[in-house]
Amino acid sequence: MLSLIQRVTRASVSVDGETIGAIGPGLLALVGVEPGDDEPRARRMAERLLGYRVFADDEGRMNRSLADSAGGLLLVSQFTLAADTGSGMRPGFSTAAAPAEAERIFRLLAAICREKHPLGVETGRFGAHMAVSLVNDGPVTFLLRA
């Protein structure tokens, strides 16, 4: 499981012009599910998303987590993160989980995050063509693996 996280001052996702998820300060996480990802990996990713220290403390150092900062979390499924880009000029997607399994694991990740971070977890719509808007704060962007 992969998550490309971006510290944001705000982020939103819309489908067909309708905003379906939005947060203020917090993290936008683009999530890719790979074959073999399971509940323990989803739990580990949730732990990392909520605990990864990317927010500034009083001295300006990245020592505070999303849980510490009480920020929002916007989870957006993005199968292209799991693409094989190692050769050629076109990505291959055999390294991404099958859609039904990926959706199951993505929904599980969202449920775990909501349970552990009741301050606000929003999602996009799995499998939909989404427009994601964000203001990257920093910019601060990391690729997490679980």
Side-chain angles (χ1 to χ4, degrees), residues 34-52:
E34 299 172 299
D37 285 346
D38 54 11
E39 183 174 344
R41 284 208 178 132
R43 289 196 177 282
R44 176 67 177 138
M45 183 56 76
E47 181 181 290
R48 298 201 76 204
L49 289 170
L50 300 176
Y52 209 69

Side-chain angles (χ1 to χ4, degrees), residues 83-88:
D84 176 4
T85 60
S87 64

Side-chain angles (χ1 to χ4, degrees), residues 3-8 11-13 21-31 45-51 55 66-67 69-76 106 109-124 144:
S3 287
L4 182 71
I5 62 169
Q6 298 177 73
R7 186 178 70 189
V8 298
S12 64
V13 61
I23 60 168
L27 288 179
L28 166 63
L30 304 173
V31 179
M45 183 56 76
E47 181 181 290
R48 298 201 76 204
L49 289 170
L50 300 176
F55 295 93
L66 185 66
S69 72
L73 175 62
L74 177 56
L75 298 170
V76 176
F106 179 80
L109 174 65
I112 294 166
C113 288
R114 285 184 174 121
E115 174 187 314
K116 296 183 177 292
H117 191 69
L119 300 171
V121 176
E122 300 278 324
T123 65
L144 302 180

Side-chain angles (χ1 to χ4, degrees), residues 10 26 30 56 75-76 78 92 119 131 136 138 140 145:
R10 67 180 179 275
L30 304 173
L75 298 170
V76 176
Q78 187 170 354
L119 300 171
N136 192 316
V140 172
R145 292 186 176 272

Side-chain angles (χ1 to χ4, degrees), residues 85-133:
T85 60
S87 64
M89 299 304 285
R90 183 171 185 210
F93 296 105
S94 62
T95 51
E101 184 62 9
E103 183 174 12
R104 185 182 76 77
I105 295 297
F106 179 80
R107 288 184 187 276
L108 177 61
L109 174 65
I112 294 166
C113 288
R114 285 184 174 121
E115 174 187 314
K116 296 183 177 292
H117 191 69
L119 300 171
V121 176
E122 300 278 324
T123 65
R125 183 173 301 147
F126 189 92
H129 182 92
M130 296 175 275
V132 179
S133 298

